[in-house]
Amino acid sequence: MDHLVIIGNGISGVTAARTVRKTSKMKITIISGETDHFFSRTALMYIYMGHMKYEHTKPYEDWFWEKNGINLIKGWVEKIDTDNKYVEMKDGRIINWSKLLLATGSQPNKFGWPGQDLPGVQGFYSLQDLELMEQNTAGIDHAIIVGGGLIGIEVAEMLHSRNIPVTFLVRENNFWDIILPEEEAKMINREIVEHGIDLRLATELKEILPDKNGRVRAVVTDKDEEISCGFVALTVGVHPNISLVKNSKIETGRGVLVNDFLETSVPDVYAAGDCAEIIVPGEARNRIEQLWYTGRMQGESVGKTIAGKRTKYERGIWFNSAKFLDLEYQTYGFVSNIPLESENSFYWEHENGKHALRIVYKKENRAVTGINVFGIRMRHKVCENWIRERRPLEYVLTHLRDANFDPEFFKRHEQAVIDHYNKKNPQNKLQLRRRRLPAGLFSE
Amino acid sequence: MQLIQINETELTLSHQKLGTLKKAGLGLVGLGTLFLLLALTGLATNSPVLFIVLSLGLMTGGAFISFYAQRKEEPPGIKNNQIWQKSFTARGSAAWILGVAVTGFYIVLYWFPDLLEHWIRMVDPVAYVLYNGPADQWFLYGFFYTVAILIMGSRMILVKYRHSNYQKIRTASIMFFQTGFAFLIPFVLKALNQPDFYFTYFWPLKYDYLFPGTVDYLLSHPGGLGVFMVFWGAVMTFLATPVLTWFFGKRWYCSWVCGCGGLANTAGDPFRQLSDKSLTAWKTERRMIYSVLVFIIVTTALLWLNSIYSGSVLGSLSQGFKKTYGFAIGAMFSGVIGVGFYPIMGTRVWCRFGCPMAAYLGILQKFFSRFRITTNGGQCISCGNCSTYCEMGIDVRWYAQRGENIVRASCVGCGVCSAVCPRGVLNLENGPRENRFSILNAFYK
């Protein structure tokens, strides 16, 4: 009988295992050195904040694995032998496989700053990082976060929840403006400042200084300002965790190199999730996707392939979401931080600065290609359909009500959005359409 | 370049000030509690009004001071910080002490009301205002219960969910129905020499409203009101309940009207995360709640048979059923366990495992309703906030992470899963029943 061994029990590895189990009886083993059971990495922050305990972050009860015939092994893999098809564990155990899935995730980046390995300085990715952060932040007066991305803002929220004053060093001129257009980025600036976090934009880390015991004492910025602190979080992105794979015959680049079917250079060996680098023929740069959603979709796709139904990984119309402190964000399609030559964008922002909607569309046919939305929940399916069906901006605006996913009694902003459009386009005034009744009962 | 900055020392200072103000407020609540306990010893006998002010007045004032401080301290939004790290909200020793105290209060209330004599006398002035008569233990209970819902309901509206209109309106509704229909109206009716009737409780929750004894009593009451009450009770149980549940799900009752849900969603809010989410708990829940429903249906049927046959056949049997139900379910389960165990088992123990009305509404909701919680496509990150904060112990995430809508008999539609979701994945909706259960949200094709 085939034996699938999966290294890594994160969302990609676990989704692959579940997908295989749906159609196949093959033996499945998941190996993880991090935890006994699958947990939601995105929820780590909430453990620190006290919203949840570790046990609440486990999406399945512990009996689930045995019931579904999925073996779990806790431990670190030391070596992968693809010729003889086995992995060797740190404790010497040998585990044979007929198919191997690498789902080893990421590791936090460090860029060679002086003092980056001092006690009290850390990245934030794993459960072990969380435990370390718990120790590192006990009794401190001030914390520094380096790097304004999605993990950085999470760490800021975590520290803030414990009333630990935070200074947030962000390289960019506005928060996350390597991804977001200026207006949205500035909205997040304000959100951060409003929470009492000391946001230093366009500021980089120069070095980290130790105290007499060798623990972190302060950081020095590129403005030569010294800021004393008891804790430094380095949240300047992550890179594929492939040190294990590098000593094997499996080809690697920045990550484990795979084709569109998530197959590596070695037959019967696959990679999915953060650790996979998808070769894009004809493009200068391969694709590494480090999101929860892509991890899940890759896991599902590779699971089908492993179970015998070779399936190309297609992520479909892009979407992502995040929460910046109290500000919710969703994005659909593609919104460039710097407007593309071929595109225009419509932007509306509520005067209170807490709600915004950007719709990007093609100049030539006004077809909508991307949506950013802040402080309003929108219906995934509807937004996806608009983009897939290449609906023009005006169609999307007049049908905005179809997409609203805010709870009942929440203030609706569709009319304000339309008014904003009409003010700018007095020659082409739009009228908001009634919410379309759900499909099934009434068709259009 | 520092584009935006805030004076840090100033910020820290103002945080400290607010921290002090919040502590002062909580200190006043503590002081008020102390006065309340002192009143039990008889100190309040000669000056009941003074003691009401010193106890409930200080508690209310202190609570509002701490609400003010919390509002100033944090922008609106979900702030469940430290809930699983504090003894009080994470089943620590403080929680056990509170649990034992509340359980003890219920036991005394039901079976040793004499011990509460001094408290009852303390609220006499309130009773005289309302119905010009002395208070009894049930007046005391109703008064405390309403005050708890009003204070903690204000916390929901002014602090915790002030960013959510759904929660604000829903909480206001709970406070309104409790104060008006479960407290003022029954006692005003009493003042008018009418039967003290609760218009917001129906059979099978208020099980005796369709017992032959109650019906006979109401019908024989002079004036038309008694007849109307019987009519109202029957219509609500057999007509309004199915119709409203068809349109809105069981939430129209359980988290907008009912006082049990009202207490759970206000005073009980700090404990909502303690419900058991295991599959075992769900199995237990189904066995128990439908057994209680069967129990009350059988009891009611036996009483009517007995009444029709003038007690000749089933007299002692039906009375036995009635007594057992009243003791085991009406008193022990709904009161002592239902509220006393808040800090240990979460707030909806009664609603989830015992309430026959919830069982009835649940069957309607599952099979005859337009209500569902919609999952927004593939956006779930499996974080678990929804499941953790579901007071009914539904493993919401189980559905959400599969992109599946949530249609569960037990869901009371409190809306907190939607509120705590950091990715906006969940939404309470009433809509066409087609594809109601569907995977990947076929609501809109």
Side-chain angles (χ1 to χ4, degrees):
Chain A
M1 188 167 63
D2 270 343
H3 183 197
L4 167 65
V5 168
I6 300 170
I7 306 179
N9 71 348
I11 181 66
S12 306
V14 161
T15 307
R18 288 184 51 242
T19 307
V20 170
R21 183 50 80 235
K22 275 178 196 164
T23 58
S24 162
K25 289 196 161 74
M26 77 171 72
K27 188 178 168 190
I28 301 174
T29 301
I30 302 179
I31 305 172
S32 166
E34 187 182 17
T35 53
D36 285 315
H37 299 99
F38 170 48
F39 73 99
S40 174
R41 192 170 303 290
T42 53
L44 280 179
M45 61 183 290
Y46 299 111
I47 302 177
Y48 184 89
M49 292 164 74
H51 293 207
M52 286 188 275
K53 295 207 287 188
Y54 166 67
E55 66 204 56
H56 301 117
T57 67
K58 291 194 277 189
Y60 303 98
E61 287 188 66
D62 292 348
W63 51 257
F64 176 86
W65 308 101
E66 200 189 325
K67 189 180 169 235
N68 287 282
I70 297 170
N71 307 312
L72 304 177
I73 294 180
K74 169 96 187 281
W76 300 98
V77 176
E78 185 95 332
K79 185 185 157 196
I80 300 171
D81 186 324
T82 50
D83 293 334
N84 301 302
K85 292 197 163 184
Y86 70 84
V87 295
E88 188 180 334
M89 306 284 293
K90 223 169 211 167
D91 59 15
R93 264 184 296 176
I94 300 287
I95 299 162
N96 296 307
W97 47 265
S98 50
K99 287 172 193 281
L100 179 69
L101 172 62
L102 302 166
T104 51
S106 289
Q107 275 185 329
N109 288 337
K110 289 180 177 182
F111 291 120
W113 292 291
Q116 69 180 15
D117 295 317
L118 288 175
V121 181
Q122 65 166 102
F124 183 67
Y125 180 81
S126 65
L127 186 69
Q128 284 74 22
D129 289 338
L130 178 75
E131 284 160 359
L132 185 63
M133 185 170 162
E134 193 69 58
Q135 296 165 16
N136 277 342
T137 57
I140 61 163
D141 298 324
H142 200 104
I144 305 280
I145 300 169
V146 182
L150 295 178
I151 299 183
I153 191 85
E154 284 184 4
V155 174
E157 189 175 352
M158 290 159 74
L159 294 164
H160 182 66
S161 78
R162 297 206 183 171
N163 292 322
I164 296 170
V166 176
T167 298
F168 201 166
L169 307 185
V170 173
R171 185 185 59 187
E172 292 75 27
N173 290 327
N174 292 297
F175 192 86
W176 215 36
D177 69 6
I178 51 163
I179 302 290
L180 296 174
E182 193 181 340
E183 288 88 348
E184 286 96 313
K186 283 188 166 161
M187 198 169 186
I188 303 176
N189 292 349
R190 295 194 302 266
E191 181 76 6
I192 294 170
V193 172
E194 198 180 310
H195 278 74
I197 292 164
D198 174 24
L199 176 65
R200 309 287 182 95
L201 294 167
T203 305
E204 290 187 60
L205 174 67
K206 197 164 138 192
E207 66 172 313
I208 305 170
L209 305 174
D211 64 10
K212 58 181 189 297
N213 301 317
R215 201 180 182 283
V216 60
R217 165 177 75 78
V219 298
V220 180
T221 70
D222 61 349
K223 317 280 185 298
D224 284 324
E225 185 186 357
E226 187 178 309
I227 308 169
S228 66
C229 61
F231 174 74
V232 177
L234 300 175
T235 58
V236 285
V238 293
H239 62 272
N241 175 22
I242 53 165
S243 47
L244 169 70
V245 192
K246 275 190 170 157
N247 300 320
S248 73
K249 290 189 175 171
I250 305 159
E251 275 181 34
T252 58
R254 287 181 294 147
V256 182
L257 290 169
V258 293
N259 60 16
D260 280 346
F261 295 88
L262 306 176
E263 297 158 335
T264 68
S265 59
V266 176
D268 293 329
V269 180
Y270 309 82
D274 282 22
C275 72
E277 177 178 348
I278 303 169
I279 299 165
V280 190
E283 292 262 341
R285 213 171 151 81
N286 291 336
R287 230 165 60 214
I288 298 178
E289 298 174 342
Q290 293 154 324
L291 299 180
W292 178 266
Y293 304 129
T294 50
R296 191 179 59 205
M297 288 188 274
Q298 289 187 20
E300 194 176 338
S301 171
V302 80
K304 286 179 187 163
T305 299
I306 291 170
K309 190 183 165 205
R310 194 159 178 259
T311 306
K312 196 171 167 181
Y313 165 61
E314 283 168 314
R315 67 185 187 194
I317 287 167
W318 185 256
F319 68 95
N320 195 14
S321 62
K323 195 174 179 188
F324 303 94
L325 300 164
D326 291 315
L327 193 58
E328 289 182 15
Y329 156 70
Q330 296 178 336
T331 187
Y332 299 98
F334 179 69
V335 178
S336 172
N337 57 338
I338 299 157
L340 298 182
E341 191 53 38
S342 60
E343 292 177 343
N344 268 338
S345 86
F346 168 86
Y347 182 75
W348 166 84
E349 188 178 304
H350 192 282
E351 57 195 14
N352 69 10
K354 296 282 186 192
H355 313 275
L357 173 68
R358 179 183 299 279
I359 305 175
V360 177
Y361 57 95
K362 284 217 157 87
K363 281 178 185 168
E364 52 167 16
N365 58 4
R366 303 183 79 77
V368 166
T369 53
I371 297 170
N372 271 353
V373 60
F374 284 79
I376 304 171
R377 294 175 173 182
M378 303 233 314
R379 217 175 276 271
H380 188 159
K381 203 83 196 163
V382 175
C383 295
E384 200 179 86
N385 285 350
W386 285 339
I387 294 168
R388 182 182 300 114
E389 293 160 5
R390 299 191 181 84
R391 297 288 189 181
L393 171 72
E394 285 71 17
Y395 177 93
V396 168
L397 286 174
T398 50
H399 288 80
L400 263 187
R401 279 184 177 144
D402 296 352
N404 189 289
F405 199 67
D406 271 337
E408 293 149 301
F409 308 117
F410 272 45
K411 185 167 169 38
R412 304 288 195 241
H413 303 288
E414 291 92 2
Q415 191 57 52
V417 173
I418 290 283
D419 291 345
H420 182 67
Y421 177 94
N422 288 345
K423 216 172 182 179
K424 290 190 146 188
N425 303 276
Q427 75 293 354
N428 178 29
K429 286 200 172 175
L430 301 179
Q431 200 162 5
L432 195 59
R433 305 213 2 184
R434 288 181 59 180
R435 186 174 138 166
R436 186 162 56 103
L437 283 157
L441 275 194
F442 303 89
S443 45
E444 264 194 315
Chain B
M1 185 168 63
Q2 289 161 20
L3 292 177
I4 305 176
Q5 233 188 308
I6 269 190
N7 188 325
E8 201 177 295
T9 22
E10 199 177 275
L11 201 81
T12 323
L13 269 179
S14 66
H15 249 271
Q16 277 169 1
K17 268 187 212 158
L18 287 167
T20 317
L21 191 61
K22 188 178 162 188
K23 276 186 191 139
L26 294 178
L28 287 182
V29 173
L31 198 63
T33 313
L34 192 68
F35 276 112
L36 193 62
L37 292 176
L38 282 176
L40 259 188
T41 64
L43 267 183
T45 318
N46 294 322
S47 41
V49 175
L50 175 71
F51 263 80
I52 289 180
V53 172
L54 282 178
S55 58
L56 298 179
L58 278 181
M59 285 160 97
T60 310
F64 276 86
I65 288 172
S66 84
F67 298 162
Y68 173 80
Q70 286 176 63
R71 275 176 74 96
K72 289 285 166 194
E73 202 170 349
E74 283 289 350
I78 292 296
K79 304 283 177 334
N80 286 324
N81 300 339
Q82 277 92 50
I83 282 193
W84 281 102
Q85 292 157 354
K86 283 181 186 157
S87 170
F88 186 62
T89 49
R91 277 192 212 108
S93 44
W96 280 96
I97 291 169
L98 182 70
V100 169
V102 179
T103 307
F105 171 76
Y106 271 91
I107 291 173
V108 169
L109 177 75
Y110 281 113
W111 295 290
F112 311 98
D114 290 352
L115 293 174
L116 296 173
E117 181 61 18
H118 293 299
W119 271 358
I120 296 169
R121 296 288 71 84
M122 184 178 80
V123 297
D124 264 344
V126 187
Y128 273 98
V129 169
L130 270 181
Y131 58 88
N132 201 25
D136 61 7
Q137 90 232 51
W138 302 118
F139 180 81
L140 173 80
Y141 178 52
F143 182 60
F144 279 6
Y145 198 102
T146 307
V147 168
I149 286 184
L150 289 178
I151 295 180
M152 291 299 278
S154 303
R155 169 180 168 272
M156 302 281 284
I157 293 173
L158 297 173
V159 184
K160 190 151 185 197
Y161 297 103
R162 65 187 191 274
H163 61 294
S164 166
N165 273 351
Y166 182 77
Q167 296 302 337
K168 277 155 70 177
I169 294 172
R170 186 177 74 82
T171 306
S173 168
I174 290 170
M175 291 160 75
F176 168 77
F177 281 110
Q178 173 61 34
T179 313
F181 288 81
F183 183 66
L184 293 178
I185 290 178
F187 290 112
V188 169
L189 286 172
K190 199 172 166 182
L192 300 173
N193 248 332
Q194 296 291 342
D196 56 342
F197 191 83
Y198 294 81
F199 288 97
T200 48
Y201 290 105
F202 331 114
W203 186 94
L205 174 54
K206 192 77 182 156
Y207 47 91
D208 59 340
Y209 277 11
L210 289 186
F211 282 178
T214 313
V215 171
D216 288 346
Y217 163 74
L218 289 174
L219 290 179
S220 64
H221 202 277
L225 201 54
V227 179
F228 174 73
M229 285 164 177
V230 172
F231 169 77
W232 173 262
V235 164
M236 286 313 290
T237 297
F238 297 113
L239 189 65
T241 294
V243 169
L244 288 167
T245 308
W246 166 266
F247 283 107
F248 307 112
K250 75 198 265 188
R251 57 184 173 150
W252 75 267
Y253 189 68
C254 297
S255 52
W256 284 74
V257 173
C258 178
C260 305
L263 192 71
N265 281 172
T266 52
D269 183 70
F271 307 111
R272 57 163 43 250
Q273 68 282 357
L274 300 170
S275 58
D276 188 341
K277 278 74 180 187
S278 68
L279 187 64
T280 316
W282 185 16
K283 285 179 179 163
T284 311
E285 163 194 322
R286 282 178 294 182
R287 271 197 291 270
M288 286 182 70
I289 195 166
Y290 297 116
S291 303
V292 173
L293 181 62
V294 169
F295 190 0
I296 191 59
I297 290 172
V298 169
T299 303
T300 311
L302 284 177
L303 285 168
W304 279 102
L305 281 175
N306 183 49
S307 160
I308 290 161
Y309 292 107
S310 324
S312 55
V313 191
L314 297 156
S316 60
L317 184 66
S318 62
Q319 285 308 315
F321 263 81
K322 183 181 162 186
K323 268 191 182 151
T324 313
Y325 189 90
F327 174 78
I329 308 298
M332 274 312 281
F333 204 158
S334 73
V336 179
I337 298 172
V339 181
F341 288 16
Y342 269 16
I344 306 302
M345 293 177 69
T347 44
R348 290 273 193 171
V349 173
W350 159 247
C351 313
R352 183 183 178 192
F353 296 98
C355 175
M357 183 76 185
Y360 170 41
L361 285 158
I363 294 169
L364 293 171
Q365 169 158 286
K366 178 98 191 181
F367 300 106
F368 310 99
S369 172
R370 292 158 52 87
F371 173 75
R372 91 292 314 271
I373 302 175
T374 308
T375 292
N376 199 13
Q379 307 235 359
C380 175
I381 53 169
S382 298
C383 71
N385 273 299
C386 53
S387 296
T388 305
Y389 287 91
C390 177
E391 54 186 347
M392 294 304 282
I394 299 171
D395 190 358
V396 184
R397 166 175 56 190
W398 174 270
Y399 305 87
Q401 66 192 355
R402 290 149 48 102
E404 190 176 346
N405 292 346
I406 296 110
V407 181
R408 277 278 292 267
S410 61
C411 174
V412 291
C414 69
V416 168
C417 57
S418 163
V420 297
C421 176
R423 295 294 182 273
V425 175
L426 302 164
N427 198 14
L428 278 56
E429 295 190 306
N430 314 309
R433 290 165 45 75
E434 201 170 320
N435 290 325
R436 186 165 159 253
F437 292 81
S438 77
I439 290 194
L440 274 176
N441 186 19
F443 195 131
Y444 284 83
K445 276 198 233 137

